Amino acid sequence: MPKKLEININMEIDFKADFDLSQFICQVLDQVHIQAGYIDFNFIDNQTIQKLNQTYLKKDCPTDVITFNLAEKEEPIWGDIYISLEQATQNARTFKNSFSEEIKLLIVHALLHLLDWQDYTESEQKKMFEEQQKILEAIKKQNLET
């Protein structure tokens, strides 16, 4: 595993956001104190994420984000993150967010999963939502100050 942080962004579907994707990811990584490891971000369609969901999680439906934590305990972060742009668009409509806000939220959510945050129970979901909001607010404040 690398002693530095390597990030790859793979676009199965190209998209335009009103923010710098790489910069935002780096800001989140800074907020959650990830300084070493290897992370692949994959922006994909519903068909691809549904296949992943079916193969690895035994759920035959699309979802917005899937995170695979590939690191062993005590190793630096090593993960694959898959974000469905189609599902992000649908979520934005449903939750009355902008598309860019939804992508940011999914990135934060996925990175928290890499840090072993869970969202299976209502209590876990509440804690994770609060942490996501805390991170997003800290980044927003940081960007306003610069």
Side-chain angles (χ1 to χ4, degrees):
M1 281 303 293
K3 293 187 182 202
K4 62 179 184 164
L5 184 58
E6 291 184 45
I7 302 165
N8 289 314
I9 299 174
N10 306 303
M11 301 282 193
E12 179 179 296
I13 299 174
D14 199 21
F15 72 98
K16 301 283 187 241
D18 63 358
F19 66 98
D20 183 316
L21 186 61
S22 296
Q23 179 183 353
F24 179 77
I25 290 169
C26 289
Q27 289 175 312
V28 177
L29 292 167
D30 185 52
Q31 287 292 317
V32 297
H33 310 291
I34 295 175
Q35 299 172 350
Y38 182 87
I39 305 169
D40 267 333
F41 287 87
N42 302 280
F43 293 91
I44 59 178
D45 62 16
N46 271 355
Q47 182 180 355
T48 304
I49 208 161
Q50 183 168 345
K51 286 179 188 172
L52 290 168
N53 207 11
Q54 185 175 26
T55 301
Y56 296 102
L57 303 174
K58 307 302 181 217
K59 296 178 184 176
D60 190 18
C61 59
T63 188
D64 48 12
V65 62
I66 296 177
T67 302
F68 294 104
N69 187 343
L70 306 171
E72 297 291 327
K73 295 250 187 246
E74 308 304 318
E75 285 186 340
I77 292 292
W78 178 24
D80 288 337
I81 294 171
Y82 296 87
I83 295 175
S84 168
L85 296 175
E86 289 175 280
Q87 201 62 43
T89 300
Q90 181 61 43
N91 288 358
R93 281 190 212 114
T94 301
F95 300 115
K96 297 179 177 31
N97 280 334
S98 71
F99 174 74
S100 292
E101 286 178 23
E102 191 63 30
I103 293 297
K104 289 177 179 181
L105 180 66
L106 293 174
I107 289 168
V108 172
H109 187 84
L111 288 169
L112 287 175
H113 275 307
L114 277 183
L115 294 170
D116 293 326
W117 283 72
Q118 302 300 320
D119 59 0
Y120 297 116
T121 67
E122 199 171 304
S123 173
E124 289 172 339
Q125 290 170 4
K126 183 177 187 275
K127 287 178 186 174
M128 193 169 194
F129 178 80
E130 288 170 357
E131 186 66 14
Q132 288 169 179
Q133 293 309 114
K134 181 178 147 190
I135 291 166
L136 290 167
E137 286 300 317
I139 292 170
K140 186 184 280 186
K141 182 179 177 185
Q142 179 184 8
N143 289 341
L144 290 175
E145 291 172 355
T146 55

